[in-house]
Amino acid sequence: MNEKDKPTVLLEFYLKKLRLPTMLREYAPLAVVCREDRSDFPTYLLRLVERELLDREKRASERRIKEAAFPVVKTIDTFDFKSQPSINEQLVRELLRGEYVDKKENVLLIGNSGTGKTHLACALAFAACAIGKNVRFYTVNGLVTELLESRDEKRLQRLQKQLQRLHLLVLDELGYVPFSKTGAELLFEVISRAYEHQSLMVTSNLPFEEWNEVFGSERLTGALLDRITHRCHIIEANGNSYRLSHAKKQSRQKRSQTDIVNTVTE
Ligand code: ADP
Ligand code: MG
């Protein structure tokens, strides 16, 4: 090995060992730029370290988004508040900042089917990922099935520990299918453990009075509602289904286009 090459070979070895991949990739090209800029050594080092830090944050955020297992990635940019005036936009915007997660407060999204509850839950949870929170998205039935399976396979404790490590647990679509007694109890345990330790975000098409029907027990439902609704932000969506109004609008547009064509060809 040429004596001149020795420091860079060693440097690259150390950067790899210290797990600094961005610095490894950037140290040489950035040195050229800094030489041209006549930047001093601390400035060069600062810029190099900044790049490593930014890349590391980006990788961590990507990892958190992957681990959150979103059904689809929806963000707030594509949400049209005008078409759903019943939704409190100011509250949603405040929740996007994620302080509720630090305070371990819950979010409930209640309303008819198709009013954007899942979209908003994804957008809020996505925003939480972006500010460094560990998030996991489940449909309620998906989680209940996983809890039941893991209990049968004697790995319930491991799953419970995984869930407890989260800052925010999203439970989408409460109310579509009622649970078995065991399923309801296992879900109740997750919600109980989360109380004042983690944030829950629950979406449901059922008003509170009807939650009994899903959990099958008035006592359990009462205790559960008590825990979820204590320190909780409620977003209500009472409008029409976005899909339905969208489809109607499109078919109206199509019809009027056909009318134009017909008038022109007549
Ligand atoms: P819900 O969970 O309340 O049944 P979804 O969030 O699944 O409703 O919404 C159904 C579809 O309509 C999704 O594709 C969603 O992105 C879209 N959607 C609903 N409301 C809006 C809105 N206000 N702006 C943009 N897209 C919307
Ligand atoms: Mg939904």
Side-chain angles (χ1 to χ4, degrees):
M1 190 196 309
N2 189 326
E3 271 306 300
K4 206 172 109 262
D5 292 337
K6 208 171 158 195
T8 58
V9 172
L10 259 184
L11 173 64
E12 292 185 5
F13 175 71
Y14 291 152
L15 288 174
K16 267 186 214 151
K17 210 171 156 91
L18 289 166
R19 296 183 204 286
L20 297 165
T22 309
M23 286 177 72
L24 176 66
R25 197 180 61 235
E26 304 271 330
Y27 83 90
L30 190 64
V32 176
V33 175
C34 285
R35 209 174 294 131
E36 281 168 7
D37 291 354
R38 295 177 189 277
S39 302
D40 55 14
F41 289 132
T43 308
Y44 166 64
L45 193 57
L46 170 69
R47 286 167 73 179
L48 196 58
V49 172
E50 263 173 0
R51 288 185 188 190
E52 182 68 53
L53 198 70
L54 282 176
D55 266 7
R56 187 172 291 193
E57 279 167 6
K58 194 166 147 248
R59 286 194 300 273
S61 167
E62 282 163 3
R63 196 191 59 238
R64 282 193 299 272
I65 290 165
K66 200 164 154 230
E67 284 172 359
F70 292 112
V72 277
V73 174
K74 298 249 173 178
T75 59
I76 205 68
D77 320 343
T78 53
F79 194 80
D80 175 17
F81 283 95
K82 282 197 199 72
S83 69
Q84 209 59 258
S86 66
I87 289 175
N88 182 345
E89 178 175 353
Q90 201 190 341
L91 174 59
V92 174
R93 302 240 173 245
E94 184 199 312
L95 294 174
L96 282 167
R97 293 207 302 268
E99 281 148 27
Y100 71 99
V101 185
D102 294 321
K103 296 190 208 150
K104 300 164 191 357
E105 293 168 347
N106 299 330
V107 179
L108 266 175
L109 295 118
I110 310 276
N112 319 335
S113 176
T115 48
K117 300 182 299 297
T118 301
H119 186 138
L120 281 179
C122 283
L124 287 170
F126 187 83
C129 279
I131 54 164
K133 307 297 178 198
N134 296 333
V135 175
R136 183 69 163 83
F137 190 105
Y138 281 101
T139 60
V140 175
N141 288 295
L143 177 60
V144 170
T145 309
E146 201 164 320
L147 285 164
L148 287 167
E149 277 174 10
S150 67
R151 195 188 65 133
D152 293 345
E153 293 161 18
K154 311 232 176 316
R155 51 179 180 86
L156 181 60
Q157 245 185 347
R158 194 158 30 132
L159 176 60
Q160 282 169 335
K161 281 214 179 95
Q162 278 168 9
L163 294 173
Q164 276 174 303
R165 278 198 289 272
L166 300 170
H167 299 116
L168 171 66
L169 172 60
V170 185
L171 300 174
D172 193 26
E173 294 184 355
L174 180 90
Y176 281 95
V177 193
F179 318 118
S180 63
K181 186 164 174 289
T182 322
E185 282 166 3
L186 287 172
L187 182 66
F188 178 72
E189 210 176 317
V190 171
I191 292 171
S192 285
R193 282 170 193 245
Y195 181 59
E196 292 192 332
H197 292 286
Q198 329 167 251
S199 291
L200 291 174
M201 185 176 292
V202 182
T203 84
S204 181
N205 60 333
L206 288 184
F208 295 142
E209 309 84 77
E210 289 171 37
W211 283 29
N212 268 341
E213 289 163 27
V214 205
F215 287 95
S217 145
E218 223 164 278
R219 193 183 47 83
L220 202 69
T221 313
L224 192 124
L225 271 174
D226 208 41
R227 281 162 179 76
I228 297 184
T229 54
H230 180 218
R231 294 152 64 81
C232 162
H233 304 270
I234 300 180
I235 302 173
E236 280 180 276
N238 298 319
N240 297 323
S241 158
Y242 181 83
R243 276 181 291 232
L244 204 65
S245 8
H246 215 69
K248 279 185 187 158
K249 201 163 128 197
Q250 274 182 340
S251 91
R252 266 200 307 274
Q253 271 168 358
K254 228 184 241 161
R255 232 179 300 137
S256 64
Q257 272 165 3
T258 336
D259 287 347
I260 295 169
V261 174
N262 288 344
T263 337
V264 172
T265 49
E266 266 164 21

